[in-house]
Amino acid sequence: RVSIGDSTDAPAATLEIANASDGGVPLLILDSNDTDKMALHIDAANIDADVVDIEADAVTTANVIDITADGLTSGAALNITSTSTSTTAGSVVKIAATGNRAHDSNAVVGLDIDFDSTAGTAARAFRIDSEQTTGIVAELSADALTTGKGVNVTSTSNGLSGANLLYANASGTSTDAYSVAKIVKDHANLSDSNAIVGLDIDFDGAAGTAGRAFRIDSEQTTGVVAEINGDALTTGTGVDL
């Protein structure tokens, strides 16, 4: 075992590098000038121990890991892949904030994407490409929610032109029964005084003859364009205008 730096005891690893509290310089600098070779390569045969373990519990306003890649073209600043075929429950990437840091005025975010690219129809700030045939591609669990929002999409843009804040498109040719968009409330609870609504559209547009709070454009030649099933209705109203 070898110890480099200011270690005061026996080395705790094959190679130990220790820096004094008043060292005044970084503990380790890797300066690689060979443009087609890796600067750092780790070949680990680990099975049940972490390959890289970072403990930075004293960090407050700095970043634990800081990556800049200003010359990127077709590369990625962070590329994580796994060819595992194991069906054991697990995650390729997991982000966990186990401390309660939620605040009414300070945004504490689990995953924050700040994507400043502007025009470009092929650009995506976030994309999921899944080959799943069953299961769920994207799942949000908000079981503890009371007065907040499960998903919040907003736009203050004054230049919206043909844009859709929420867009669902099914271009397949399947004739099996399915829904392009479905809203389900599984519990029977309702209230005589509190409005519990399946689809609530609050459209504040005023003057404008082309405006529509709700529109269906169907190319059907048979079938039913809009269907309301109120078979269980007794004293209520099917449609209230």
Side-chain angles (χ1 to χ4, degrees), residues 40-63:
L40 175 65
H41 176 76
I42 299 175
D43 184 359
N46 300 43
I47 296 176
D48 51 8
D50 296 341
V51 173
V52 178
D53 191 3
I54 298 175
E55 294 182 13
D57 296 336
V59 175
T60 55
T61 58
N63 299 319

Side-chain angles (χ1 to χ4, degrees), residues 218-225:
S218 174
E219 305 300 325
Q220 289 172 252
T221 57
T222 59
V224 179
V225 173

Side-chain angles (χ1 to χ4, degrees), residues 15-115:
L15 174 62
E16 180 184 67
I17 304 175
N19 202 1
S21 60
D22 59 351
V25 293
L27 176 62
L28 175 65
I29 293 179
L30 301 178
D31 186 356
S32 176
N33 295 309
D34 196 335
T35 60
D36 61 353
K37 300 300 179 183
M38 289 179 286
L40 175 65
H41 176 76
I42 299 175
D43 184 359
N46 300 43
I47 296 176
D48 51 8
D50 296 341
V51 173
V52 178
D53 191 3
I54 298 175
E55 294 182 13
D57 296 336
V59 175
T60 55
T61 58
N63 299 319
V64 175
I65 297 178
D66 196 359
I67 299 174
T68 61
D70 297 338
L72 275 180
T73 55
S74 60
L78 184 62
N79 184 29
I80 300 174
T81 63
S82 173
T83 59
S84 172
T85 58
S86 171
T87 57
T88 303
S91 303
V92 176
V93 177
K94 184 175 181 179
I95 300 173
T98 57
N100 185 2
R101 298 183 55 206
H103 197 273
D104 288 335
S105 57
N106 298 323
V108 180
V109 183
L111 174 62
D112 191 355
I113 300 174
D114 185 358
F115 188 74

Side-chain angles (χ1 to χ4, degrees), residues 110-131:
L111 174 62
D112 191 355
I113 300 174
D114 185 358
F115 188 74
D116 290 334
S117 295
T118 54
T121 57
R124 306 287 187 273
F126 181 71
R127 180 177 68 176
I128 298 175
D129 182 3
S130 174
E131 304 300 325

Side-chain angles (χ1 to χ4, degrees), residues 179-196:
S179 300
V180 177
K182 186 173 184 178
I183 299 173
V184 177
K185 182 186 182 304
D186 278 333
H187 203 281
N189 66 300
L190 288 177
S191 173
D192 290 334
S193 57
N194 299 320
I196 300 176

